[in-house]
C-alpha cells in the first residue's frame, strides 16, 4: 500500500487505542507512523505537512495516559516548534492547553501561565466559549497554586460570568470561599453546581478524581475537603475549641 495510506491507518488505529486507554499500543503506532514520515520536517524546523505534527500530539496524549509527563512535554514542544514556535495564531490552542496541563503536572505552574493565557485569547477570538472557559479555568487553578489567590478568584468569576453553567469554577469558588470564612458564598456556589447545572456535582466528592483526573492544585483540594467535611479551616480557628476567628478575607 502507499505510504500515505499506511500512515493514515496507523494514526487511525492509534486513536482507537487512545480512546480505549491502551496507551502503549497507541505510542507504538505513532512511532511507526513517524518512521514512515522521515521527510516530514523542513530545513527551517517546521513541518512539511500537518499529519507529521499531529502524530507528535497524538503520541503526547498517549504519554500523558502513562503519566510520562516529561515525554509528553517533549512531544508538545516538538509539535509547537513544527508549527513555527511561539504562542500565536499559528499554534493550535488545544495543544497550548495540553502543554500547560502537562507543565502543571510537573509542578511547573509558572511556565504554564503563558500557555493558558495564549490559548484562552485564541479561543476567545474564535468565540469558542466552552474551550475559552477550559483554558481560563486551568489558568485560575495554576494561579491559585502559585498563591496568586486574588487574580485566580477574579478569573474564576469571569468564567462563570461568561459561562454560567461551568461547574468546575462554581465548585472552586465554593472551596476558596470556605477557606476564607465566607461560608454563605461557599454553600450558595455548591448548591448552584449541584442543583442548577445538569452535570451536577457528584464527581467533586471523589478526592482521587479531583486530584488525578481533574487535576486541581493541592491547596484548592485541601480547601474543598474542609468544605465537604464542614471543617473550620486552620487559619480561621480562634482557639483549641474551634471557635471561629474573625473573618480574614
Amino acid at each position: 500500500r502507499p505510504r500515505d495510506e499506511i500512515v493514515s491507518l496507523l494514526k487511525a488505529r492509534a486513536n482507537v487505542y487512545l480512546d480505549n486507554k491502551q496507551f502503549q499500543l497507541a505510542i507504538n503506532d505513532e512511532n511507526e507512523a513517524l518512521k514512515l514520515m522521515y521527510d516530514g520536517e523542513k530545513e527551517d524546523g517546521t513541518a512539511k505537512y500537518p499529519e507529521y505534527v499531529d502524530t507528535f500530539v497524538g503520541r503526547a496524549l498517549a504519554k500523558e495516559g502513562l503519566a510520562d509527563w516529561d515525554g509528553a512535554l517533549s512531544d508538545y514542544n516538538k509539535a509547537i516548534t513544527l508549527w513555527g514556535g511561539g504562542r500565536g495564531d499559528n499554534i493550535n490552542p488545544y495543544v497550548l492547553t495540553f502543554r500547560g496541563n502537562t507543565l502543571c503536572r510537573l509542578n511547573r505552574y509558572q511556565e504554564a501561565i503563558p500557555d493558558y493565557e495564549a490559548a484562552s485569547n485564541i479561543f476567545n477570538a474564535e468565540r469558542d466559549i466552552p474551550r475559552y472557559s477550559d483554558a481560563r479555568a486551568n489558568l485560575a487553578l495554576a494561579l491559585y497554586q502559585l498563591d496568586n489567590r486574588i487574580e485566580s478568584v477574579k478569573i474564576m468569576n469571569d468564567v462563570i460570568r461568561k459561562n454560567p453553567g461551568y461547574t468546575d469554577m462554581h465548585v472552586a469558588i465554593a472551596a476558596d470561599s470556605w477557606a476564607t470564612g465566607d461560608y454563605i458564598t461557599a454553600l450558595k456556589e455548591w448548591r448552584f453546581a449541584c442543583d442548577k447545572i445538569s452535570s451536577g456535582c457528584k464527581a467533586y466528592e471523589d478526592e482521587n478524581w479531583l486530584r488525578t483526573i481533574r487535576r486541581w492544585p493541592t491547596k484548592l483540594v485541601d480547601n474543598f475537603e474542609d468544605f465537604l467535611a464542614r471543617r473550620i479551616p486552620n487559619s480561621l480557628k480562634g482557639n483549641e475549641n474551634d471557635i471561629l476567628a474573625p473573618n480574614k478575607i
Side-chain angles (χ1 to χ4, degrees), residues 72-83:
L73 179 60
S74 177
D75 278 348
Y76 287 137
N77 285 339
K78 179 65 174 179
I80 288 169
T81 297
L82 289 166
W83 278 318

Side-chain angles (χ1 to χ4, degrees), residues 125 176 246:
D176 173 76

Side-chain angles (χ1 to χ4, degrees), residues 22-158:
Q22 295 175 283
F23 301 117
Q24 189 56 58
L25 292 175
I27 290 171
N28 293 345
D29 276 356
E30 302 287 15
N31 287 340
E32 288 301 312
L34 285 171
K35 288 179 183 177
L36 292 171
M37 292 186 285
Y38 54 85
D39 60 346
E41 192 168 330
K42 299 177 185 177
E43 290 184 3
D44 65 0
T46 60
K48 285 185 178 179
Y49 39 87
E51 293 81 6
Y52 188 62
V53 190
D54 292 344
T55 306
F56 283 99
V57 175
R59 191 171 69 176
L61 290 169
K63 288 179 178 179
E64 280 199 51
L66 295 175
D68 179 8
W69 308 114
D70 287 309
L73 179 60
S74 177
D75 278 348
Y76 287 137
N77 285 339
K78 179 65 174 179
I80 288 169
T81 297
L82 289 166
W83 278 318
R87 297 183 178 88
D89 294 341
N90 56 311
I91 306 300
N92 186 323
Y94 287 93
V95 175
L96 288 172
T97 301
F98 297 157
R99 185 171 71 172
N101 295 343
T102 301
L103 286 165
C104 288
R105 291 303 301 225
L106 291 166
N107 295 316
R108 293 162 63 175
Y109 291 93
Q110 191 63 55
E111 294 174 65
I113 300 299
D115 280 352
Y116 289 142
E117 290 177 333
S120 63
N121 288 339
I122 295 170
F123 285 131
N124 193 43
E126 296 174 348
R127 300 184 184 278
D128 187 342
I129 297 303
R131 302 292 75 77
Y132 166 85
S133 300
D134 290 340
R136 294 292 283 178
N138 288 336
L139 173 61
L141 297 178
L143 288 168
Y144 204 94
Q145 184 64 23
L146 291 169
D147 289 323
N148 192 343
R149 176 188 165 269
I150 292 176
E151 183 63 21
S152 173
V153 174
K154 179 181 176 182
I155 292 171
M156 291 177 189
N157 281 290
D158 172 69

